[in-house]
Amino acid sequence: MNYFEGNEFFLFLLAVLIIGFIINYFEKNKEYFIIFVSLFLVGNIYGKSITMLLYLMLFLIFQYSLIVFSQKTTKACQTILVGLSVVPLILNKLFALTQFHFMAFIGISYMSFKTIQIMLEISDGLIKEKINLKDYLQFLLFFPSVSSGPIDRSSRFLEDIKSSMTRKDYLELAGTGVFRLVLGMFYKIVLSTYVYQFLFSLTNTGTIVYSIKYMYLYTLYLFFDFAGYSLMAVGTSNILGVQTPMNFNAPFLSVDIKDFWTRWHITLSTWLRDFVFSRVLMRAIKKQLFKKRLHNAVYAYIVNMLVMGFWHGISVSYILYGFYHGVLMAAFEIYQKKSSFYKKNKNKNWYKLLSWFVTMNLVVIGFFIFSGEPYKLLKVILRK
């Protein structure tokens, strides 16, 4: 069994959603039922590998200890503890380059960002109430989003999980949830599989035509696969009475690169905006790293997107992908602020259409870099 894969999981999910529907319909407390299901799935899925289960347990104990200490210590110590909370993820990415995959378990990237969010908000004074072990495990191991997001915020999630909706509001949310779940299954099981067959059938000829076909097909495959999973996660959450945030909002309608990152992997981009970009920018301004605010913003965009690249993994393709989008975001920031042409034409339909066309092709090139295919392509060209 694995999350949102195979007949066994979906049959189990059906039973869970029926029980969850009954609990919410009668406006009963749902948190103990959900944590029981989440822990049951942890036992079944992570328990297939004793090593993976031990790594998960070690991670949970280590991070919860940091949270407990952080709520009892000074601001200076909290900063150190925030740094320590990043260590498991860094070790996981570093050891992924070797044959010894230390701290390798399903969902470590998403769980790490959830824990870092808690630590940073404790340090900022936004979280003052004690986070008990049950709430911590509920948040990190919430089964619809544990392996691939969306990345929720602890305060919002815990408020949802502890409250009961009126029957009318719940039925509306559950109806939306069923639609999202079915649409997500169609995206992931049907459309992503269909596109992947075309992608898999391509032969690397080392030509521009091959590259164009690959980058567009890969972009479609990535969207249907990831957006499909996200929709299933959100739809499942909704039926259970939890309003997990959406992760995609028609990204292929984006008219510029900033617009794209408000539509694609929304929970990741907003997490990075709140906890990386804004902090890097304010620190750069405070330290007067650059004389002009625009230059500080450019610097913050590049750092922000490089963190996004490293979050995916320490490989050339991921790091270049992050740097590529950092440069695009920085360049667009300069263009927005400095270009009279942009200010004069940004609201005109012809400009929006042209900007959309350019943006989509830049996005597709980015996913081509992300896929790692350019390096395979280079090898084929060098053999000729």
Side-chain angles (χ1 to χ4, degrees):
M1 185 187 294
N2 207 348
Y3 295 106
F4 295 103
E5 290 182 14
N7 294 334
E8 186 180 2
F9 176 84
F10 283 108
L11 285 172
F12 177 79
L13 180 63
L14 178 62
V16 167
L17 294 181
I18 290 171
I19 297 171
F21 179 85
I22 294 170
I23 291 172
N24 281 280
Y25 182 81
F26 289 104
E27 302 178 26
K28 302 298 181 182
N29 185 295
K30 58 184 174 282
E31 63 174 322
Y32 288 100
F33 171 68
I34 292 175
I35 196 171
F36 170 78
V37 174
S38 295
L39 290 173
F40 176 81
L41 286 171
V42 164
N44 275 268
I45 294 171
Y46 292 83
K48 290 183 292 186
S49 167
I50 297 300
T51 302
M52 184 166 65
L53 185 59
L54 287 174
Y55 281 151
L56 172 64
M57 292 175 66
L58 179 63
F59 175 87
L60 293 172
I61 293 168
F62 175 74
Q63 297 285 24
Y64 185 64
S65 299
L66 293 181
I67 290 171
V68 171
F69 290 142
S70 184
Q71 293 189 302
K72 297 179 179 180
T73 191
T74 62
K75 177 76 173 179
C77 289
Q78 286 172 344
T79 302
I80 296 171
L81 293 173
V82 168
L84 288 174
S85 70
V86 186
V87 171
L89 182 60
I90 293 174
L91 290 175
N92 169 260
K93 300 302 181 183
L94 287 172
F95 277 96
L97 300 174
T98 71
Q99 292 183 343
F100 180 63
H101 299 299
F102 182 67
M103 293 303 291
F105 60 86
I106 297 167
I108 183 172
S109 295
Y110 291 91
M111 290 189 204
S112 294
F113 269 27
K114 286 182 176 182
T115 304
I116 294 166
Q117 170 256 309
I118 294 173
M119 298 288 292
L120 285 170
E121 291 193 344
I122 290 172
S123 179
D124 291 344
L126 297 175
I127 295 178
K128 297 178 181 179
E129 66 280 5
K130 182 181 178 181
I131 297 179
N132 60 50
L133 182 60
K134 175 179 68 66
D135 290 346
Y136 169 74
L137 293 176
Q138 181 80 279
F139 179 53
L140 257 69
L141 300 179
F142 182 55
F143 78 90
S145 59
V146 68
S147 65
S148 297
I151 306 170
D152 209 343
R153 302 296 172 90
S154 57
S155 299
R156 196 220 64 76
F157 173 82
L158 291 173
E159 183 180 349
D160 253 19
I161 209 79
K162 291 175 181 294
S163 62
S164 297
M165 304 175 69
T166 65
R167 185 173 298 174
K168 179 182 178 182
D169 289 341
Y170 170 69
L171 289 175
E172 184 176 342
L173 179 64
T176 302
V178 170
F179 172 76
R180 288 169 173 168
L181 177 59
V182 173
L183 182 62
M185 293 175 70
F186 179 67
Y187 272 19
K188 186 168 176 64
I189 297 170
V190 179
L191 294 181
S192 72
T193 302
Y194 183 71
V195 174
Y196 182 76
Q197 289 176 347
F198 283 99
L199 186 65
F200 186 74
S201 67
L202 291 178
T203 301
N204 191 338
T205 57
T207 63
I208 293 176
V209 173
Y210 164 78
S211 301
I212 292 172
K213 286 181 180 179
Y214 187 94
M215 67 175 67
Y216 280 96
L217 284 171
Y218 181 79
T219 297
L220 288 174
Y221 164 72
L222 191 66
F223 170 72
F224 287 128
D225 185 71
F226 191 24
Y229 181 95
S230 294
L231 277 168
M232 287 192 290
V234 174
T236 298
S237 302
N238 294 163
I239 299 170
L240 292 172
V242 179
Q243 300 184 65
T244 296
M246 290 288 286
N247 227 4
F248 292 86
N249 179 24
F252 298 125
L253 296 181
S254 307
V255 295
D256 58 58
I257 199 65
K258 284 187 181 179
D259 187 28
F260 174 76
W261 281 107
T262 64
R263 294 168 175 269
W264 178 277
H265 208 337
I266 299 167
T267 58
L268 173 63
S269 60
T270 53
W271 193 99
L272 290 168
R273 180 199 65 198
D274 294 345
F275 299 114
V276 178
F277 174 80
S278 61
R279 293 166 191 271
V280 170
L281 178 60
M282 294 308 295
R283 187 173 181 82
I285 292 171
K286 185 178 179 181
K287 297 290 184 180
Q288 296 184 327
L289 196 60
F290 301 97
K291 291 182 179 180
K292 295 183 178 180
R293 184 182 178 88
L294 178 60
H295 295 163
N296 287 311
V298 165
Y299 166 73
Y301 274 123
I302 291 175
V303 172
N304 185 67
M305 300 313 283
L306 271 174
V307 170
M308 182 270 293
F310 277 104
W311 178 77
H312 283 95
I314 303 177
S315 70
V316 175
S317 58
Y318 294 146
I319 296 168
L320 280 179
Y321 174 73
F323 181 71
Y324 171 79
H325 271 282
V327 170
L328 289 182
M329 294 285 280
F332 187 70
E333 177 74 6
I334 295 170
Y335 174 62
Q336 273 188 315
K337 296 293 189 294
K338 293 287 189 178
S339 173
S340 58
F341 177 80
Y342 169 78
K343 293 173 183 177
K344 181 180 178 180
N345 297 293
K346 64 180 181 179
N347 294 319
K348 295 179 180 177
N349 289 334
W350 69 264
Y351 178 84
K352 290 180 180 179
L353 183 61
L354 178 62
S355 181
W356 166 82
F357 179 78
V358 172
T359 299
M360 286 301 98
N361 281 281
L362 290 173
V363 165
V364 168
I365 292 169
F367 287 134
F368 189 52
I369 296 169
F370 180 85
S371 72
E373 192 65 18
Y375 312 106
K376 298 177 185 177
L377 187 68
L378 184 61
K379 287 180 182 179
V380 172
I381 293 172
L382 291 174
R383 288 196 202 107
K384 291 185 177 181

